[in-house]
Amino acid sequence: MRFVAALLLCLTLPAHAEGFISRLLNKPVPGGVAVVQLGPASQAPTASYQGKPVLIVHEEGRDWIAIVGIPLTTKPGRQQVQVQDADGSRALAFEVRSRDYKEQRITLKDTRKVNPLPEDLKRIDRELAEQTKAYQRFSPGTPSNLLFDKPVDGPLSSPFGLRRFFNGEERNPHSGLDFAVGAGTPIKAPAAGKVILIGDYFFNGRTVFLDHGQGLISMFCHMSKVDVKLGQLVPRGVAVGQVGATGRATGPHMHWNVSLNDVRVDPAIFIGAFRP
């Protein structure tokens, strides 16, 4: 029930909670989130960052704010959001601070998951295209809550952004957050959403994509079982599947990605567990 009232006034209500969304989400670092104040307006403005639309909500029912995902590759310094409203177009700046990410070294017995065979590469390319399309989705609905529930009850293990080395070879940084929980543990929707993709992928194993609205996407992978169907509307707290070790995994765990404006960001921000 953690901060249920706050979950509601995230998108509406009263003055005593002024700045709640900003306090929760404004972590402007590479792989983080910037909250940009857009000011009051009778209608919602639109905004984009690096050519992609961004999430816009009311904070406390007064001013509009843009919630912007920052790529992990972004260097510290000034960035800009392009805003369009009734008064025309304008650019608003925000500053990206530095953040260091640690390394993670993993040994896999299945060397094919480190250096795929030629026949694997066609499958990987096809699966990447499917998942990229899902991450790029931008539906009009406002997310039901921005302070997310944890998808599972368990300790955090591998954090977001780790530089990863598999069998001594560097690969893409860790794009999500891992929880150390056992196989079969139910994975619950952290916010209401629509199932937009289900797959069984070379690297990710059994996978579910959940669209929360306006480019805010959750992805769960390495699952042992999927309990939802494509197109299903899933209420917050309802299980989408179960923890497993499918795909490129050394053992059972829950891997969760959060994406904003087609940028993978640190899920810890949305559960109040971010550490600079």
Side-chain angles (χ1 to χ4, degrees), residues 164 178 187 203-207 219-225 242-249 251-255:
R164 295 187 304 173
D178 289 350
I187 301 170
F203 288 126
N204 286 353
R206 294 191 181 94
T207 300
M219 186 275 278
F220 314 94
C221 66
H222 305 311
M223 299 163 67
S224 61
K225 183 183 178 183
Q242 298 176 16
V243 170
T246 56
R248 185 166 68 183
H253 67 282
M254 204 290 295
H255 176 101

Side-chain angles (χ1 to χ4, degrees), residues 149-151 187-193 210 212 220 234-240:
D149 296 333
K150 289 183 180 179
I187 301 170
K188 299 178 181 180
L210 200 60
H212 304 296
F220 314 94
V234 182
R236 173 177 151 225
V238 170
V240 298

Side-chain angles (χ1 to χ4, degrees), residues 188-246:
K188 299 178 181 180
K194 181 179 181 179
V195 180
I196 57 171
L197 184 62
I198 296 173
D200 191 350
Y201 298 126
F202 185 84
F203 288 126
N204 286 353
R206 294 191 181 94
T207 300
V208 170
F209 278 71
L210 200 60
D211 177 12
H212 304 296
Q214 291 195 58
L216 181 57
I217 309 286
S218 282
M219 186 275 278
F220 314 94
C221 66
H222 305 311
M223 299 163 67
S224 61
K225 183 183 178 183
V226 173
D227 292 326
V228 290
K229 296 180 180 180
L230 191 64
Q232 182 176 336
L233 298 176
V234 182
R236 173 177 151 225
V238 170
V240 298
Q242 298 176 16
V243 170
T246 56

Side-chain angles (χ1 to χ4, degrees), residues 140-187:
T142 300
S144 65
N145 50 291
L146 291 170
L147 173 58
F148 281 175
D149 296 333
K150 289 183 180 179
V152 294
D153 290 324
L156 305 182
S157 51
S158 296
F160 172 88
L162 289 172
R163 290 181 58 203
R164 295 187 304 173
F165 295 80
F166 290 94
N167 297 357
E169 298 186 36
E170 187 167 12
R171 293 295 184 263
N172 290 332
H174 194 224
S175 61
L177 190 64
D178 289 350
F179 290 79
V181 289
T185 302
I187 301 170

